[in-house]
Amino acid sequence: QVQLVESGGGLVQAGGSLRLSCAASGRTVSTYAVGWFRQSSGKEREFVARIRWSDGRTNHADSVKGRFTISRDNAKKIVYLQMNSLKPEDTAVYYCAAGGWGTTMSVYAYWGQGTQVTVSS
């Protein structure tokens, strides 16, 4: 069993930065990949970024490439999402998830409760 808790969301002006954290617990968490997804009002949840615990390999969606960076702290079992140059269209509830190495929701078995990010123009 894996538990995930997100934090770090909030209200920021366009062009600003936020860092989201996803604290993971569970004995087998290091065997998984962790992904960040987001869901804005009226839209489907979409993939943002992913990282593999074992070797740190990462992948970012085109919409955030160059602005967002996913990273991990193995000792603390925390995955971060550093978000720079934020845009109003980045406004969403951000979720972290643990599961296989994929970009679709179905690959991820465990989900956090989400954290709200609001970017004002």
Side-chain angles (χ1 to χ4, degrees):
Q1 191 76 6
V2 175
Q3 292 80 41
L4 304 168
V5 179
E6 303 99 331
S7 61
L11 174 64
V12 64
Q13 288 188 332
S17 298
L18 281 175
R19 189 178 76 163
L20 304 183
S21 299
C22 173
S25 61
R27 290 187 300 171
T28 61
V29 66
S30 61
T31 66
Y32 292 96
V34 173
W36 283 99
F37 288 76
R38 65 186 181 186
Q39 187 168 19
S40 53
S41 181
K43 295 186 178 181
E44 293 186 353
R45 197 170 298 187
E46 64 174 356
F47 167 77
V48 175
R50 57 179 172 165
I51 189 166
R52 198 156 56 190
W53 277 111
S54 59
D55 59 5
R57 180 182 175 186
T58 64
N59 175 229
H60 298 78
D62 288 342
S63 59
V64 305
K65 203 168 290 183
R67 300 188 300 122
F68 291 11
T69 303
I70 190 170
S71 63
R72 78 199 192 298
D73 184 323
N74 278 340
K76 296 181 180 179
K77 292 187 178 179
I78 297 176
V79 172
Y80 300 102
L81 185 68
Q82 178 66 43
M83 305 187 296
N84 299 328
S85 302
L86 282 161
K87 305 174 182 179
E89 51 263 45
D90 294 318
T91 295
V93 178
Y94 283 72
Y95 299 89
C96 69
W101 181 245
T103 61
T104 59
M105 290 178 58
S106 61
V107 173
Y108 294 86
Y110 304 99
W111 291 83
Q113 81 289 351
T115 186
Q116 176 71 46
V117 171
T118 303
V119 184
S120 63
S121 57

